[in-house]
Amino acid sequence: MAMQGGEYVLKIPPDGVLRTSSAEQYGWARDHYYYYSPQGMRSLLDSGPAALIWGKFHGQGSGASGKRNYEELFVGTAQQFKNQVPVK
């Protein structure tokens, strides 16, 4: 995790799972999502018909190192997200 322009920059590894030891931040969020391309850093929309951020939620799990809080989100089109969500 690095700071750029006063914001944390987190690079997601190829397996799609990012783990940090950072404490969860509370309050109003102003998250920005970007991806790298040959043209440089490009914005990912998190609302509207062209949104690419879906299913964002917070949870808590436990394991060998104790309890941990986590945040998950899906990056892709609305249809790709719907294809990943189990239908009940």
Side-chain angles (χ1 to χ4, degrees):
M1 178 167 37
M3 291 284 288
Q4 289 182 358
E7 296 186 9
Y8 290 108
V9 176
L10 308 166
K11 293 185 180 179
I12 310 295
D15 70 358
V17 177
L18 175 71
R19 292 179 176 88
T20 73
S21 59
S22 301
E24 187 173 10
Q25 296 178 331
Y26 295 97
W28 290 102
R30 300 185 110 196
D31 297 332
H32 307 280
Y33 302 96
Y34 299 91
Y35 68 96
Y36 289 96
S37 76
Q39 294 79 31
M41 210 161 63
R42 312 227 0 168
S43 181
L44 282 171
L45 298 176
D46 62 351
S47 64
L52 292 172
I53 305 294
W54 302 94
K56 189 173 177 181
F57 72 93
H58 297 270
Q60 187 177 71
S62 60
S65 59
K67 288 186 179 180
R68 62 178 175 76
N69 294 323
Y70 62 90
E71 180 178 338
E72 288 188 10
L73 56 90
F74 181 88
V75 179
T77 66
Q79 188 59 53
Q80 289 169 327
F81 176 63
K82 289 175 185 175
N83 292 345
Q84 294 297 312
V85 176
V87 178
K88 292 183 179 184

